[in-house]
Amino acid sequence: MRTLISTAFISLDGVVEAPGGEPGYRNSGWTFKDVEFLPEAFEIKGREQQEAAAMLLGRTSYEAFSAVWPDMADFAEYKVMPKYVVSTTLTEDGLVTGWGETTILRSVDDVAALKETEGGPIIIHGSASLTRSLSDAGLIDRYHLLVFPLLLGAGKRLFSATDKDAQKLKLVEHEVYANGLQKNVFDVVR
């Protein structure tokens, strides 16, 4: 079974919306304009590209990332990596060219079936709604969280507000940086 990893920039109060400057959110760009940049705090981002075998995205994140990531040197490994987009509305003609093989999945059940295939880890970037659905379905195996020392208030949250049984996590890697960022890597305990 493949490992499904959710990776996110997240505020201390759980917001993941518009970390890179996406339009339409009051605090858009909060990751780089409000916290001093320290390259060592982002080491995990390069490691994720090297260790992942595929990328999983929701439609909104796919449309945002596919517009810029294919030509960015910082994301070169993702260019050729197989991608899966979970969407009920995206069609083949909505996929970009030149960003590697991309497959459209239509449901959480399709993601569960993908996890059963052979291959290495699958990484989820952004995709807050998708992450909440996959977490509620018990499909996420690991979280890579870069926690920013900010309280953003309103905004999309990474974790669902669904009334469910407690889910235990095991901290397997952590580090705190001089700018207040915290790297927390958690495995889901089953």
Side-chain angles (χ1 to χ4, degrees):
M1 179 179 291
R2 298 175 82 167
T3 302
L4 190 55
I5 302 166
S6 172
T7 183
F9 294 152
I10 187 168
S11 69
L12 192 58
D13 58 348
V15 174
V16 293
E17 186 167 355
E22 299 81 356
Y25 176 61
R26 175 185 181 150
N27 293 311
S28 184
W30 50 271
T31 56
F32 298 107
K33 73 178 183 182
D34 294 326
V35 178
E36 175 191 3
F37 178 75
L38 294 178
E40 60 270 24
F42 298 91
E43 170 276 334
I44 193 168
K45 297 290 142 202
R47 188 167 21 122
E48 288 170 347
Q49 287 185 72
Q50 295 167 357
E51 294 175 356
M55 188 186 320
L56 180 69
L57 300 162
R59 181 195 49 81
T60 301
S61 293
Y62 173 78
E63 289 173 348
F65 295 153
S66 68
V68 292
W69 280 19
D71 296 323
M72 291 180 71
D74 288 344
F75 301 109
E77 285 91 352
Y78 286 142
K79 188 168 186 168
V80 296
M81 185 178 294
K83 286 159 220 57
Y84 299 89
V85 183
V86 182
S87 173
T88 58
T89 59
L90 187 66
T91 59
E92 293 290 329
D93 62 342
L95 299 176
V96 300
T97 58
W99 200 34
E101 174 191 345
T102 304
T103 303
I104 299 171
L105 304 177
R106 297 295 181 197
S107 68
V108 170
D109 289 340
D110 289 345
V111 176
L114 174 64
K115 277 189 66 169
E116 295 293 329
T117 63
E118 294 293 319
I122 303 166
I123 193 118
I124 308 166
H125 282 280
S127 307
S129 297
L130 175 61
T131 297
R132 288 191 299 272
S133 295
L134 295 173
S135 177
D136 286 348
L139 293 175
I140 295 186
D141 301 297
R142 176 174 276 195
Y143 293 95
H144 290 185
L145 305 177
L146 278 180
V147 183
F148 284 71
L150 299 169
L151 299 174
L152 298 174
K156 289 181 187 173
R157 300 285 200 267
L158 183 64
F159 300 104
S160 112
T162 301
D163 185 14
K164 60 183 178 182
D165 291 338
Q167 184 174 49
K168 185 170 174 43
L169 305 175
K170 178 182 178 187
L171 184 66
V172 295
E173 182 181 342
H174 64 92
E175 194 159 348
V176 178
Y177 303 95
N179 61 358
L181 256 69
Q182 298 175 35
K183 172 179 62 180
N184 293 304
V185 176
F186 293 100
D187 280 345
V188 175
V189 176
R190 306 235 189 262

